[in-house]
Amino acid sequence: MTTPKGSEPPKRRRGPRTPVGTTTLAQVAQAAEVSEATVSRVINRKYGVSPATRQAVEEALKQVGYERPLDNRLVLMLTPNLKNPIFAQQAERVENELNPYGLTSIICPVYPGTPRERDYVESLVDAGVAAIVFLSSSNTLRDEDHRVVQFVESRGIPYVSINGGFPESDAPVVSTDDWRAAELAVGHLHDLGHRQIGLLAGPTGNLPADRRVEGFLTAMERRGLDDPEAFVARQHFNVEGGQQAAATLLAMGATGLVASSDEMAFGAYRAAERVGLRVPKDVSVVGYDDSPVLDFIGPPLTTVRQPIERIAENIGRIVTSLIANRTVSSEEILVEPELRLRASTAPAPGRP
């Protein structure tokens, strides 16, 4: 179930709701108790304004009903990489939602939490960045230095996160419901008679990975399965990580594997093959993401699909609202995933 999206985004405007002129600046300046020059610097996102003053001006802008124009604005999207099809698809969907409002997207592949991420933001902010979308970037890392957010907030640039928010921020967040995703995968395998079910989990401290672990443990405990924590193997979100995690779980007797990414599921295929097991006759595998190639591998992979279209719709609505200076809820929107059945799951060995 998708959290209510609220009202639809406004129709594209060619300028602010209140005409920009001396009177408007004077009204905002009076409400914020600052000079008109300071108001102008905030509107144009210039240096030299303290965070407290910037916040006062932003509040005054809302009070007098000023809306920033949506034309000729850049939206910066920060994502781990574009080699993973799911990130490329999500970025494309978000871009399609923003284009009708005159917004141009710049997609920057970064390694989350590194200086490269900050460098992208700092180098592009003066090019007219209207908003930033953290697409599974440093927002997914619990314990990293989030100086990039401090910089963004100091410049008064609105931002939104996909698949987890920053712990110190109340900025909007839209995420796949990872707890529900784990429940769907475990429930499917349990219904097929599997009782030794293992999780190929992502790294500790990665917010989506931690949420999937929480959902997995809850789903296993709900079904009365013993010692579920022993069947969680942490590795990286790639083929090699999936292979190593699957090898560990298969040695423990797991007959059903829940992968935290489709790439990890591919690694599980490789691990099963290396010990003479067949998918799905001997071991069933469930992936996560729903990459475009899943129908073309052998066997086609059952997976939990991230609802990238509905996430993009919410991001588009939120970004246009933030740029227009409208109030947006800080409550995280959780979007329902979907189980896609293919040929990589079957009844547990010994079950009809």
Side-chain angles (χ1 to χ4, degrees):
M1 179 178 67
T2 304
T3 302
K5 294 192 271 187
S7 59
E8 292 300 316
K11 294 183 179 179
R12 180 180 174 184
R13 297 176 182 272
R14 295 188 177 277
R17 185 170 58 200
T18 304
V20 181
T22 304
T23 303
T24 299
L25 291 180
Q27 289 175 342
V28 177
Q30 182 178 6
E33 299 182 351
V34 298
S35 68
E36 293 181 27
T38 298
V39 174
S40 178
R41 294 187 71 82
V42 172
I43 290 173
N44 294 291
R45 308 189 192 284
K46 298 295 184 181
Y47 284 110
V49 182
S50 70
T53 300
R54 190 179 297 277
Q55 182 177 355
V57 173
E58 293 285 357
E59 291 298 324
L61 289 169
K62 295 177 184 178
Q63 180 180 330
V64 302
Y66 175 86
E67 292 186 9
R68 291 184 175 90
L70 296 183
D71 296 286
N72 303 319
R73 293 283 187 165
L74 303 178
V75 175
L76 185 60
M77 277 194 279
L78 303 168
T79 187
N81 63 70
L82 295 177
K83 293 184 294 183
N84 187 325
I86 197 66
F87 294 134
Q89 284 184 309
Q90 187 70 82
E92 182 181 23
R93 292 287 184 176
V94 172
E95 184 176 35
N96 290 343
E97 291 292 326
L98 298 177
N99 281 343
Y101 297 94
L103 297 169
T104 301
S105 301
I106 300 179
I107 303 171
C108 302
V110 301
Y111 193 80
T114 65
R116 185 178 183 186
E117 185 179 49
R118 296 195 300 273
D119 289 345
Y120 265 126
V121 175
E122 292 175 3
S123 63
L124 290 171
V125 71
D126 287 325
V129 172
I132 296 175
V133 178
F134 290 91
L135 199 172
S136 298
S137 186
S138 57
N139 58 296
T140 64
L141 305 179
R142 289 183 183 270
D143 301 320
E144 292 296 318
D145 182 355
H146 293 147
R147 279 180 292 177
V148 64
V149 172
Q150 298 169 11
F151 172 77
V152 169
E153 291 184 344
S154 74
R155 298 300 302 274
I157 300 172
Y159 61 95
V160 60
S161 299
I162 297 177
N163 286 333
F166 296 96
E168 68 274 27
S169 169
D170 60 356
V173 183
V174 182
S175 304
T176 301
D177 189 338
D178 286 308
W179 297 280
R180 177 61 178 162
E183 165 65 27
L184 289 172
V186 171
H188 173 59
L189 292 174
H190 188 269
D191 289 345
L192 290 171
H194 295 273
R195 297 298 179 264
Q196 299 290 97
I197 302 171
L199 175 66
L200 285 60
T204 301
N206 178 281
L207 185 57
D210 292 345
R211 288 176 168 184
R212 287 167 213 167
V213 169
E214 292 171 3
F216 174 80
L217 295 176
T218 299
M220 295 281 282
E221 291 165 357
R222 183 180 294 123
R223 290 164 175 80
L225 301 179
D226 295 332
D227 198 16
E229 291 187 10
F231 282 84
V232 175
R234 295 270 195 171
Q235 277 293 341
H236 294 291
F237 287 115
N238 55 34
V239 173
E240 293 75 21
Q243 181 178 342
Q244 293 178 46
T248 298
L249 295 169
L250 291 173
M252 297 170 59
T255 63
L257 297 176
V258 177
S260 291
S261 73
D262 290 336
E263 288 191 53
M264 295 186 85
F266 300 157
Y269 277 24
R270 183 185 295 175
E273 182 181 7
R274 290 195 174 185
V275 295
L277 298 176
R278 292 163 294 178
V279 178
K281 183 175 181 179
D282 303 309
V283 58
S284 290
V285 180
V286 179
Y288 181 88
D289 278 337
D290 198 29
S291 302
V293 299
L294 300 190
D295 284 316
F296 306 100
I297 65 171
L301 180 66
T302 292
T303 194
V304 177
R305 184 179 187 275
Q306 287 208 62
I308 59 173
E309 296 86 0
R310 298 203 302 280
I311 290 175
E313 290 170 4
N314 280 280
I315 292 296
R317 174 182 58 81
I318 291 171
V319 167
T320 53
S321 295
L322 289 172
I323 294 173
N325 231 34
R326 291 187 173 87
T327 301
V328 175
S329 173
S330 61
E331 183 177 353
E332 183 174 11
I333 297 174
L334 295 177
V335 187
E336 179 88 359
E338 177 187 356
L339 183 66
R340 288 290 182 90
L341 298 178
R342 295 188 178 91
S344 66
T345 53
R351 296 268 180 157

